[in-house]
Amino acid sequence: GANYEIKHCSAGKYNEEHYVRAGMPGSSCQACPSGYTSAEEAKSINECYIDVPGAYHIANVYDSTPIICNTSEYKEAHRVYYGESSSCNRCLEGYTSEEAGTDSSSCKIYCAGGSYLANVNDTICSNVGIGYWAAESVVSQGEVGVRNPCSDGMTTIGFGTGADEMWDCGRILHIGDNKIYLRSKSKTTPSLNVRIDGTTYYGNMSTDIKGNLRIKSGTTTYSVYDDSM
């Protein structure tokens, strides 16, 4: 007719579940190892845990001090139980971060003007393509880049400095079998001005770059060129 009860431990302690006779002393609860805690009624040391903040990890089994991840690594906030360890995630090839991050968005890839990240987690930036432009950009891992279409039937060379701003959108000047991409806003002084359907477009002129079209002004001969040359 003896009465028995279950002995439970408070948070931060543990003990195997067992029965003790009412009013009699039972096995004492054990404190979790230093740095670890537990929920109430933990039944073993393996239920002791550490809540690790984002950007940190438990490098070795039984360690109690979280270690920060390296640059170009990330780790979300997580729970590690006694006897376990955790590791950081590395950024994809081509992506970097200046400091440890809490998720993959801390990993970045740089795309030069005239290029963009075409697909999620691409490791190489792609040319924007003819008729598009894009300024230089930094894109997070897991995201895609943006390219901007030219309007009103205008176009670009589709890559590099000839497609890195909206003013690169323009018309094509055909000279025999050759073509020159004209911008919608002048970039050189002087420049070739070509009026099409009431709008003026501009071709770069230089004495240093040799283009297929040459224009003489006074005693100076200029070449008209674009960034595809």
Side-chain angles (χ1 to χ4, degrees), residues 2-229:
N3 294 323
Y4 292 88
E5 63 182 355
I6 298 176
K7 180 70 172 181
H8 292 303
C9 297
S10 59
K13 297 181 178 181
Y14 68 94
N15 203 351
E16 298 291 341
E17 184 176 86
H18 62 284
Y19 291 90
V20 297
R21 194 167 187 172
M24 300 294 292
S27 299
S28 61
C29 294
Q30 304 294 314
C32 287
S34 177
Y36 287 78
T37 189
S38 69
E40 293 182 4
E41 304 180 8
K43 299 177 179 64
S44 75
I45 192 173
N46 293 327
E47 293 185 36
C48 297
Y49 63 84
I50 294 176
D51 281 328
V52 184
Y56 286 79
H57 68 121
I58 298 296
N60 300 298
V61 173
Y62 308 126
D63 281 357
S64 60
T65 302
I67 302 297
I68 193 167
C69 298
N70 296 320
T71 57
S72 298
E73 292 183 342
Y74 65 93
K75 185 69 175 180
E76 67 281 357
H78 60 290
R79 178 169 291 184
V80 174
Y81 288 90
Y82 189 72
E84 298 178 349
S85 61
S86 62
S87 59
C88 301
N89 303 302
R90 297 190 62 81
C91 296
L92 293 176
E93 180 183 357
Y95 292 77
T96 60
S97 65
E98 295 182 356
E99 57 185 22
T102 58
D103 56 48
S104 62
S105 67
S106 63
C107 303
K108 311 286 186 182
I109 188 170
Y110 168 78
C111 292
S115 67
Y116 77 118
L117 201 69
N119 302 291
V120 172
N121 294 338
D122 274 358
T123 58
I124 298 176
C125 301
S126 303
N127 290 333
V128 292
I130 293 174
Y132 292 87
W133 68 273
E136 64 178 3
S137 62
V138 176
V139 184
S140 295
Q141 186 172 310
E143 298 180 356
V144 294
V146 176
R147 62 175 181 168
N148 307 284
C150 294
S151 60
D152 301 324
M154 293 193 291
T155 191
T156 65
I157 65 173
F159 63 90
T161 56
D164 65 352
E165 61 179 355
M166 64 180 296
W167 306 119
D168 289 326
C169 293
R171 302 285 186 173
I172 298 177
L173 174 64
H174 294 272
I175 306 294
D177 295 331
N178 301 303
K179 58 183 180 181
I180 297 173
Y181 289 85
L182 304 175
R183 290 183 167 93
S184 56
K185 187 173 182 179
S186 178
K187 269 201 167 185
T188 62
T189 303
S191 62
L192 173 66
N193 299 352
V194 179
R195 194 164 182 81
I196 303 173
D197 297 330
T199 301
T200 301
Y201 299 90
Y202 305 91
N204 291 337
M205 294 175 63
S206 172
T207 57
D208 299 321
I209 299 174
K210 301 301 182 182
N212 293 321
L213 174 62
R214 291 180 175 81
I215 295 177
K216 189 171 184 179
S217 176
T219 60
T220 304
T221 299
Y222 296 93
S223 286
V224 181
Y225 70 96
D226 61 47
D227 295 304
S228 66
M229 295 180 179

